[in-house]
Amino acid sequence: MSDPYSQSLPAADERSPAERRAVSSLASLYALRMLGLFMVLPVLVTEGQHLNGATASLLGLAMGVYGLTQALLQIPAGTLSDRIGRKPVIIGGLLIFALGSLIAAMADSIWMLIAGRALQGAGAIASAIMALVTDLTREQHRMKAMAFIGASIGMAFSVALVLGPWLAGLGGLPLIFGVTGVLALGGIVVTLTLIPNPPRLTHRDSTAVWSDVLVQARNRQLWPLNSGIFLLHALMVAVFVAIPAHLLQLGLSTAQHGWLYLPVLLLAFVLMVPFIIVAEKKRRMKSVVLTGALMIAASLLLMALATSLWHWALVLLLYFWGFNLMEASLPSWLSKVAPAGAKGSAMGIYSSLQFFGAFVGGALGGWLLSHYGSSAVFVGLGALMVLWALYLSRCPAPPYLTSIRLVSHGCSGEQLQRLQALPGVAEVSVLASEGAIYLKVSADAFDYEAALAIIETTGEKHGSQR
């Protein structure tokens, strides 16, 4: 298998054409899948009411059940991609996702819709895609690659909230799920034709290792972040169980909901950017995350009082502003505190809880709506976010560290001491079975070339971690 990165690599600060093509194709692949998942969020509860056996509780379950299967299979799918390759797992996951979309499109009962949504979630490819990013990019460009993919997901979310209601107005849920299935098949075409075939790498900062997952599950530094992403995505699904009915009552048809969401999402994104810059450049991440959490809590409490479209526009702006701040900041915080060589396992737990939160949010939101009404959904979830913010306020701010991976097929105790003594190095972890050394460093003070000189290796051409 040829390696497109071993030939004619540009200077370290310049991305190669192969890297640019890989990142753009992976971003489009991820966006296609997430677009398919997100389109149904703003319309499923209102459009699914005609299904046989539909109740508010079961519609909420249908909203979130994809998160349950996704959470259960997230880490196993990443591990499987280490063994059989990234592309087979991605293609298999997209085929499962397409099949689930087909079942959901044909559903005439709520239970058939739930089965289709569960099968959609079983096509868990997120971990394999992120591992492929690591395989296809060099260390100095990996943060940019991850940021680009993150931006593509955010754009997919925004487009989905507009496109979903429009498609629902044209053909209801069958059309939405039909388009979702076509998008999944389009993702297979992207995988086969546009994404390069790199050599597979063993890399503990990109995929989870089962033995380390158990260790990181007991890491108390990670649980504020794990619980935060769980709650954030539980809220995201739960609020969309309740919001569409309010907009309908105010005279806004389902097809028009997207025109309320679009300007709100765009403005929320613009307002988020300065805060993210402050979080990273001014090292105020804890304050920014707490600000986002309190924005979400305030918006949820105000949703219980909203009585006009202008009220909803303002509270949704506040909600998405806070949501974007937390969604962008929490994974960055996790990468800073995850131990050297354990980021993949820590991120596997984090991602699994993110999807499990979507499941709980759908099920809980539907149950609360069915038994106590939408005000209970908004006030109850707002109170939970306030409690989480109080929990986070007692946690230390994250150190501003990044992970570095160095190839080493043997390193003496004296060399390890010299590595540990380098300016900016906070932690060193040797994994002899992988032939690698992982470090947690302060990027401002760390000298990468000095570290390479110590271990007497030129390092990987593309597989070091960021």
Side-chain angles (χ1 to χ4, degrees), residues 39-51 54-56 59-60 63 113 164-165 168-169 172-173 176 240-249 252-255 257 261 369:
M39 279 195 301
V40 77
L41 279 181
V43 298
L44 190 148
V45 170
T46 54
E47 293 295 312
Q49 292 176 356
H50 70 278
L51 295 172
T55 64
L59 286 168
M63 282 270 284
L113 179 62
L173 290 179
I176 292 178
F240 278 110
V241 172
I243 287 174
H246 282 273
L247 300 184
L248 287 174
Q249 290 171 5
L252 201 65
S253 69
T254 298
H257 288 189
Y261 297 135
L369 183 65

Side-chain angles (χ1 to χ4, degrees), residues 4-5 7-20 138 140-141:
Y5 301 90
Q7 304 171 12
S8 304
L9 278 171
D13 59 350
E14 182 182 346
R15 286 192 298 170
S16 71
E19 284 176 310
R20 287 194 292 270
R138 289 171 292 162
Q140 57 266 41
H141 303 302

Side-chain angles (χ1 to χ4, degrees), residues 97-121:
F97 184 79
L99 179 60
S101 301
L102 177 62
I103 292 173
M106 297 171 59
D108 58 3
S109 72
I110 187 62
W111 290 108
M112 189 173 177
L113 179 62
I114 290 171
R117 290 285 285 167
L119 198 56
Q120 281 186 314

Side-chain angles (χ1 to χ4, degrees), residues 118-169:
L119 198 56
Q120 281 186 314
I125 61 172
S127 55
I129 291 177
M130 290 307 177
L132 197 51
V133 174
T134 297
D135 295 344
L136 291 169
T137 57
R138 289 171 292 162
E139 175 196 349
Q140 57 266 41
H141 303 302
R142 193 155 305 123
M143 284 296 287
K144 295 177 184 176
M146 295 294 189
F148 187 77
I149 290 175
S152 74
I153 296 171
M155 184 175 297
F157 181 70
S158 300
V159 172
L161 291 190
V162 177
L163 191 58
W166 179 70
L167 289 174

